[in-house]
Amino acid sequence: MTFLKILFAGLLSASTVQAVHASEAIDWHETGLTIRNSVWSGFETQSEITQFLTEEYFLPDIVSEADRQWIREETAGLFKEKREEEETWPKETDVDRLEAAFEQLEKVDIIALHKAGVTQSDGHSDVGEEYHAREKAGRSSRGWVFYHSQDIDSALSAGSLYLAFGGFEDADEMAPVVARKIMAVLAEHGLKAEWNGDLNRRILITPFTWRKRSPAG
């Protein structure tokens, strides 16, 4: 599943999707919120979001020409708004720092995944797939860290970001080691992280301002 499909699956509730199909009409308010979150997440281009909504996400026979035009205009307007705000951002954002930290963690055999599905369950599945792929390639992995699309939504509104983490062999013993390494690397990149030592709780980066520059297109 592409990230855009994952993102929209997470942003639109089951009741909203059922309402769309049942009424055979697109709710512009709900769709507008979905477009805004996807634009400000910063992973997809304007054309990718527009194409996905008009050609894949909704049933083709319920998307009117007025819907298509509105989706194009709404997406374009939000991208323009975001591009203008991007000009005021610092050269290095918290997301840039996080990406650099994840790259560093990868070098010490910690699987570090961005936007890993919609939920923690999705993220764990993605980690498992990556672990087995690396194992086949002869690459070791001692632990993992990820955030998912719902965490991005929360970061956009709450100003903090949760990271799930864990270890592989001797997981209960390795997980705290992995957590401390993650927090140390985050600190090296100027990100303040908190964790209370409970393996059932995630690491929290706070404050964290979600500013990810969107790709061109």
Side-chain angles (χ1 to χ4, degrees):
M1 182 182 292
T2 66
F3 174 66
L4 200 56
K5 291 181 179 180
I6 290 171
L7 179 64
F8 284 119
L11 290 174
L12 281 183
S13 66
S15 59
T16 299
V17 174
Q18 290 171 359
V20 167
H21 292 294
S23 63
E24 295 190 350
I26 293 176
D27 185 322
W28 283 13
H29 174 70
E30 291 290 339
T31 304
L33 295 176
T34 299
I35 295 171
R36 173 170 288 277
N37 276 11
S38 62
V39 168
W40 284 88
S41 292
F43 287 100
E44 304 297 329
T45 67
Q46 177 179 329
S47 59
E48 285 172 336
I49 293 172
T50 300
Q51 181 178 358
F52 182 79
L53 277 175
T54 57
E55 299 180 14
E56 296 182 50
Y57 187 73
F58 294 111
L59 294 176
D61 58 352
I62 70 168
V63 183
S64 68
E65 187 52 42
D67 291 328
R68 295 176 189 278
Q69 182 64 25
W70 175 79
I71 289 171
R72 288 192 291 267
E73 291 176 354
E74 185 72 8
T75 305
L78 288 171
F79 258 91
K80 181 176 184 295
E81 176 186 329
K82 182 169 184 284
R83 291 298 191 195
E84 290 174 352
E85 185 159 327
E86 285 178 2
E87 294 296 321
T88 71
W89 292 357
K91 183 177 180 181
E92 184 180 53
T93 69
D94 286 347
V95 175
D96 294 328
R97 296 184 184 95
L98 180 65
E99 291 174 347
F102 272 27
E103 288 179 10
Q104 187 173 334
L105 289 167
E106 287 279 353
K107 294 176 182 178
V108 292
D109 297 330
I110 295 176
I111 295 172
L113 303 180
H114 297 278
K115 52 180 175 54
V118 177
T119 65
Q120 287 195 62
S121 178
D122 294 335
H124 291 147
S125 178
D126 287 354
V127 165
E129 291 179 7
E130 183 65 17
Y131 174 84
H132 291 300
R134 295 186 187 200
E135 188 177 41
K136 289 182 180 179
R139 183 177 176 185
S140 63
S141 303
R142 58 176 176 147
W144 49 268
V145 60
F146 69 80
Y147 62 89
H148 49 68
S149 67
Q150 290 182 356
D151 294 324
I152 297 172
D153 297 344
S154 178
L156 284 166
S157 61
S160 57
L161 179 70
Y162 279 101
L163 302 178
F165 69 91
F168 291 112
E169 294 185 16
D170 299 319
D172 288 346
E173 294 183 11
M174 182 57 69
V177 176
V178 171
R180 288 192 291 270
K181 182 62 178 179
I182 292 167
M183 294 176 70
V185 171
L186 291 171
E188 289 178 25
H189 291 276
L191 296 172
K192 182 181 178 181
E194 302 174 355
W195 178 57
N196 67 0
D198 184 346
L199 293 180
N200 294 315
R201 301 297 295 271
R202 295 185 290 168
I203 292 170
L204 177 66
I205 307 176
T206 185
F208 189 94
T209 302
W210 187 271
R211 291 173 176 160
K212 180 174 174 61
R213 291 178 172 85
S214 296

